[in-house]
Amino acid sequence: MRRTAFRLLGAAFAVAVSSLAAVAADTPVDLELVLAVDVSRSMDIDEQTLQRNGYVAAFRHKDVIEAISSGPSGRIAVSYVEWAGPAFQTTLMPWTIIDGEASARAFADRLAAAPMSHEHGTSISNGLIFVGPSFEGNGLAGERRVIDVSGDGPNNMGVPVNIARDPLIASGITINGLPIMIKRPGGFASIENLDIYYEDCVIGGTGAFLVPVTDIQKLASAIRRKLVLEIAARPAGLVKASDAKAAPRVDCMIGEKLREQWMRE
């Protein structure tokens, strides 16, 4: 009787340990994706609205939903973060598992209903510093980890962008870009070649690429295309990150220098 009781107790303990391990295990996903979105004041309200609507429409679109379903696990995890100056970063949508049309549309609906920010400053670097740690302890086990940065200007506040970018790339995170080049450069920190700046100073890591946007009417389709390519890990034919050993073709501190010049004047 005593031996039977010990066996039953051991079996119960093994089941309990197994259950705890299952609860503690991270959920496998094909991709952990942070959408890091610029809400600085250089983005007009109409541009911000189109940008937000572009992401909402993308997660309702069959191409994005099919890309998610076609992966080995058939699911991804997405977080939506808004950033501006060094002091403003906010997680609008925390990590959410999307595994089909219903969850994709639910994510889009919540994003559409969320308030829209409009803040001062452009600090891509502090945005990266903010989102980097979110990959740790999030209950997910992604095959790939990607930060997708969209914005309409160079880093001009906070730490230098390469100081924030390089450790993330070294840790295995890929940084992709969506440089928005709709308006003619006119602000104190605006530059002509924002796409080259993003290519040489912002994006990086395995398979990193960018999709420049030069036509406001094509912003939504560019967002959708970029998401499909990120989810499917097929950036072929796009502008890819430059060789890390090559010298940047643009000064990665150009935004900070333009801001300093503007403040002197």
Side-chain angles (χ1 to χ4, degrees), residues 26-56:
D26 291 341
T27 302
V29 293
D30 297 316
L31 171 67
E32 296 174 48
L33 175 64
V34 176
L35 300 173
V37 179
D38 182 5
V39 294
S40 62
R41 292 181 183 176
S42 61
M43 293 279 290
D44 294 338
I45 293 297
D46 59 338
E47 289 179 321
Q48 277 193 247
T49 302
L50 284 170
Q51 179 179 235
R52 171 72 68 82
N53 290 344
Y55 282 106
V56 170

Side-chain angles (χ1 to χ4, degrees), residues 97-246:
I97 293 178
I98 300 178
D99 57 4
E101 182 175 358
S103 54
R105 287 185 172 274
F107 180 88
D109 291 345
R110 291 196 302 273
L111 181 58
M116 194 173 299
S117 302
H118 197 52
E119 298 292 333
H120 173 71
T122 302
S123 183
I124 300 170
S125 57
N126 283 59
L128 292 174
I129 290 170
F130 177 80
V131 302
S134 70
F135 289 100
E136 302 303 326
N138 60 3
L140 303 165
E143 291 293 321
R144 293 175 290 123
R145 292 177 166 184
V146 175
I147 299 171
D148 185 338
V149 180
S150 65
D152 71 342
N155 195 80
N156 62 50
M157 301 176 73
V159 303
V161 67
N162 62 301
I163 298 297
R165 177 198 62 183
D166 293 351
L168 294 174
I169 294 172
S171 72
I173 295 171
T174 296
I175 302 172
N176 294 333
L178 185 81
I180 300 173
M181 306 163 62
I182 295 168
K183 296 182 296 185
R184 290 179 60 85
F188 72 86
S190 297
I191 59 175
E192 292 278 357
N193 51 353
L194 184 64
D195 52 345
I196 295 177
Y197 174 87
Y198 260 66
E199 184 182 351
D200 289 3
C201 304
V202 178
I203 70 173
T206 304
F209 69 95
L210 61 87
V211 178
V213 182
T214 57
D215 184 344
I216 196 167
Q217 301 302 323
K218 296 180 179 178
L219 177 56
S221 61
I223 289 172
R224 182 174 69 248
R225 178 181 178 224
K226 179 176 55 61
L227 282 174
V228 168
L229 291 167
E230 282 171 332
I231 294 166
R234 290 197 301 265
L238 298 179
V239 179
K240 299 184 181 180
S242 299
D243 186 343
K245 297 179 181 178

